[in-house]
Amino acid sequence: IFEENFEAKHHQAETTKTFKVWNAYGAIFAGENFAFMKDFQNFEIVEKGVLIGYQGSEPVYAEKDSRMLFLKMNSQVVPGERACTLLDRDAKNLPFNVK
């Protein structure tokens, strides 16, 4: 990968960028007849108490203010597997030095 006389050099970052970091706190795992209520989007906010979908005839509600990530479409949901990841709604802004 490196040239024969490669010397590692440390470079000072020229700029600082801020990234948003969400903490995953849970996931929805599909049972035999799980279906989302609608086509949610990645990072879409769902407030506590909002109907997310149904597990058979049982409603599945958001337990707290959240964002949804890595959602599968209903046609792609596999029983026993993760249907989506749940994130804390509010992101933390963290600065990183990047070049």
Side-chain angles (χ1 to χ4, degrees):
I1 296 175
F2 299 106
E3 294 179 15
E4 194 172 306
N5 296 323
F6 174 81
E7 279 187 46
K9 295 181 181 168
H10 297 280
H11 296 281
Q12 185 70 8
E14 295 173 9
T15 61
T16 299
K17 291 188 178 181
T18 301
F19 293 88
K20 291 186 181 228
V21 177
W22 283 273
N23 293 320
Y25 73 86
I28 295 175
F29 286 86
E32 266 319 298
N33 297 306
F34 177 82
F36 285 108
M37 182 65 185
K38 68 174 198 150
D39 290 331
F40 290 97
Q41 301 298 313
N42 275 324
F43 296 101
E44 184 172 338
I45 293 173
V46 290
E47 294 181 4
K48 180 179 180 176
V50 167
L51 179 63
I52 293 174
Y54 286 93
Q55 180 56 53
S57 61
E58 294 294 316
V60 176
Y61 296 100
E63 294 179 14
K64 65 181 194 175
D65 293 344
S66 308
R67 289 183 187 262
M68 300 178 74
L69 183 66
F70 303 132
L71 297 122
K72 294 187 177 173
M73 294 172 36
N74 282 329
S75 63
Q76 297 172 324
V77 171
V78 176
E81 293 189 9
R82 186 182 311 237
C84 75
T85 298
L86 299 169
L87 309 175
D88 286 330
R89 183 183 70 181
D90 298 319
K92 293 172 180 53
N93 291 319
L94 299 177
F96 292 93
N97 289 325
V98 294
K99 189 171 182 185

